[in-house]
Amino acid sequence: MSGKIVFNIRELAKRPPKLLPGHRLCAGCAAPIIAKLALLATDRPTIVVNATGCLEVATTIFPYTSWNVPWIHNAFENAASTASGIEAVIKALKKKGKYKYENVDIIVFAGDGGTYDIGLQSLSGALERGHDFLYILYDNEAYMNTGIQRSGGTPLGAWTTTSPAGRVIPGKTQHKKPIADIAVAHRIPYVATATPAHWMDFMRKVRKGLDVNGPAFIHALSPCDRGWRFDTSETIEVCKLAVDTCYFPLWEFENGEWRLTDRSLAIARNPRLKKPVEEFLKVQGRFKHLFKPENRHLIEEIQRHVDAIWEDLLERTGIK
Amino acid sequence: MGETLRSWKELPLSALPFKLSTEFKTGDWRTFRPVVDQEKCTRCLLCWVYCPDMSIVWDGQRISVNYDYCKGCGICARECPVKAIEMVKE
């Protein structure tokens, strides 16, 4: 069971935050919740590498920085290579006896654009070389920072400014890329999915990812109220619906073994808890057009896709 | 060139953000302000966990809201299990 690591939130909340307020991410954004919780999960010295994206531009608007930990931004496509370089430098300095810390946590934060599309080759290379770092993908399912353009992480049927729903196409015409499965295919020690709503589960996964020797990858869902078109207060609710409908199942892959966690494990044990995917789609304006009669077949298509992945996951985790 | 390389401390300030964002107040973005009912509050700290702007302050006894940074998104009020936070128009 993953229940071994316990976080005492009343104690943690007394500490000064490692991600400071005053950042200019939109009201209700999930990305700072993800970054804040991830940084809480460890006490060791931490270095943060940030790919270009919402989190990067909005937390470091010149001359301000919101990072209370060492932080580096390099480019859009090379966050994983930058982390590899940092890990290699630390190794070299340790050999020369010039480095005072025993263990340093290297955490990469990158969005879906910097992971699915632009940063995929550098990520794959770093995973293959086996550098010891944790890569956290905060997936808001489009290029939100530049104005909601579709990415490899955008799901089927979603409206974006470059997959506009109208007479010609009903939103994006392709499915989401299975990025966490791509990470698993590299046979790295630790891969997991998480959402900020299931925060204890997420923090445990961060700790596990940092504790393993070698690369770890966490795919965190990061609902975007501007791009997904929902009220700023519903961010956490949308996360919960994504998990409850099995649109975004919570699982971990540790040393070759698959495991469902938290709410998804509960759903696997009691399938009556599984909600239809419509519940997740209907709260978001980006899927509004799918509820027109001519597009209803797309909801069925999304449901089939979600069910196939869920059934596959049940088999992999040995529940079926 | 013969020049010695400069360390990051000698770089021009344009390459490095050098002020903490706590100097930049985002509280004026707000339309609705969260108001905490201390009687109802059970100190579960879920609001602290979910606040995207680190604006819920826990002193070990009670929670309060830092209105300097709170953008008024309303996540805290929505997620409070005992409905101890109310969103009031500014």
Side-chain angles (χ1 to χ4, degrees):
Chain A
M1 269 307 289
S2 57
K4 298 287 179 280
I5 312 165
V6 177
F7 295 97
N8 183 343
I9 214 71
R10 289 187 179 177
E11 287 307 311
L12 291 176
K14 286 184 198 161
R15 296 188 195 166
K18 291 179 189 172
L19 181 69
L20 298 170
H23 63 70
R24 276 172 265 180
L25 286 152
C26 308
C29 177
I33 312 177
I34 292 170
K36 167 178 93 171
L37 292 175
L39 292 173
L40 266 182
T42 176
D43 275 336
R44 293 186 289 249
T46 307
I47 299 172
V48 171
V49 182
N50 217 173
T52 307
C54 289
L55 186 65
E56 180 261 325
V57 296
T59 55
T60 55
I61 296 176
F62 185 79
Y64 303 103
T65 176
S66 303
W67 298 88
N68 216 355
V69 289
W71 176 94
I72 184 170
H73 164 249
N74 193 341
F76 215 140
E77 67 278 17
N78 61 4
S81 328
T82 308
S84 309
I86 292 169
E87 194 243 12
V89 164
I90 290 175
K91 256 189 197 165
L93 288 175
K94 268 187 192 165
K95 254 186 212 167
K96 292 180 184 168
K98 285 185 182 170
Y99 204 73
K100 61 177 174 180
Y101 300 112
E102 184 58 35
N103 287 303
V104 177
D105 291 329
I106 303 167
I107 306 179
V108 179
F109 290 109
D112 50 307
T115 306
Y116 284 90
D117 304 345
I118 305 173
L120 187 63
Q121 55 85 11
S122 81
L123 172 64
S124 177
L127 298 184
E128 180 265 324
R129 291 188 301 271
H131 294 284
D132 189 9
F133 72 108
L134 169 65
Y135 192 105
I136 299 178
L137 152 66
Y138 69 96
D139 185 2
N140 52 28
E141 303 195 325
Y143 289 83
M144 297 312 183
N145 162 38
T146 47
I148 323 172
Q149 290 86 16
R150 60 88 86 189
S151 78
T154 309
L156 180 82
W159 162 91
T160 68
T161 51
T162 48
S163 63
R167 262 174 296 126
V168 182
I169 50 162
K172 192 186 165 189
T173 51
Q174 300 87 6
H175 280 293
K176 195 177 165 82
K177 194 192 281 189
I179 192 75
D181 288 345
I182 294 173
V184 169
H186 289 73
R187 293 278 139 182
I188 56 172
Y190 192 77
V191 182
T193 61
T195 84
H198 308 81
W199 55 279
M200 187 67 100
D201 176 66
F202 173 53
M203 283 173 69
R204 278 186 191 132
K205 285 169 173 169
V206 170
R207 178 69 76 82
K208 277 189 175 186
L210 291 169
D211 285 349
V212 294
N213 194 13
F217 181 89
I218 295 179
H219 178 188
L221 191 69
S222 177
C224 167
D225 53 71
R226 297 299 305 122
W228 297 15
R229 303 293 196 225
F230 59 81
D231 188 77
T232 56
S233 66
E234 290 172 332
T235 308
I236 298 298
E237 291 305 306
V238 170
C239 284
K240 288 180 187 165
L241 281 173
V243 174
D244 288 352
T245 57
C246 296
Y247 169 82
F248 193 85
L250 299 170
W251 52 264
E252 61 183 358
F253 172 84
E254 196 179 4
N255 300 319
E257 224 178 274
W258 294 80
R259 217 177 293 127
L260 286 166
T261 64
D262 207 285
R263 183 73 180 167
S264 290
L265 183 61
I267 295 170
R269 286 179 178 156
N270 182 3
R272 271 178 308 170
L273 296 174
K274 184 170 180 273
K275 292 180 180 167
V277 78
E278 225 178 291
E279 305 267 313
F280 170 69
L281 304 178
K282 76 178 179 200
V283 294
Q284 302 169 55
R286 64 171 173 162
F287 293 117
K288 194 174 64 184
H289 55 282
L290 297 185
F291 292 87
K292 287 182 185 164
E294 66 269 27
N295 290 332
R296 295 280 321 191
H297 68 278
L298 280 168
I299 298 182
E300 287 159 33
E301 162 77 27
I302 295 169
Q303 185 68 61
R304 270 198 300 277
H305 186 71
V306 164
D307 288 346
I309 290 174
W310 178 244
E311 291 298 317
D312 188 35
L313 206 50
L314 289 178
E315 253 172 55
R316 289 186 212 177
T317 50
I319 287 169
K320 232 178 197 172
Chain B
M1 306 271 265
E3 264 179 67
T4 47
L5 287 172
R6 286 186 291 179
S7 88
W8 67 271
K9 283 177 185 164
E10 293 154 342
L11 287 175
L13 284 173
S14 60
L16 298 161
F18 59 93
K19 280 184 177 176
L20 294 181
S21 66
T22 42
E23 287 183 36
F24 189 90
K25 309 276 194 272
T26 51
D28 56 358
W29 296 18
R30 195 171 55 238
T31 314
F32 293 91
R33 71 160 55 209
V35 177
V36 186
D37 181 344
Q38 299 291 348
E39 295 282 299
K40 280 190 195 166
C41 175
T42 59
R43 283 92 174 134
C44 71
L45 294 197
L46 273 182
C47 52
W48 183 89
V49 168
Y50 292 139
C51 178
D53 290 294
M54 283 59 79
S55 294
I56 304 283
V57 182
W58 168 246
D59 61 6
Q61 299 293 321
R62 52 196 274 151
I63 61 155
S64 53
V65 181
N66 186 341
Y67 293 111
D68 278 353
Y69 305 108
C70 169
K71 293 169 189 160
C73 66
I75 291 180
C76 52
R78 181 92 181 203
E79 296 306 318
C80 179
V82 292
K83 301 280 161 252
I85 303 178
E86 199 191 341
M87 297 305 285
V88 182
K89 195 153 190 207
E90 285 285 346

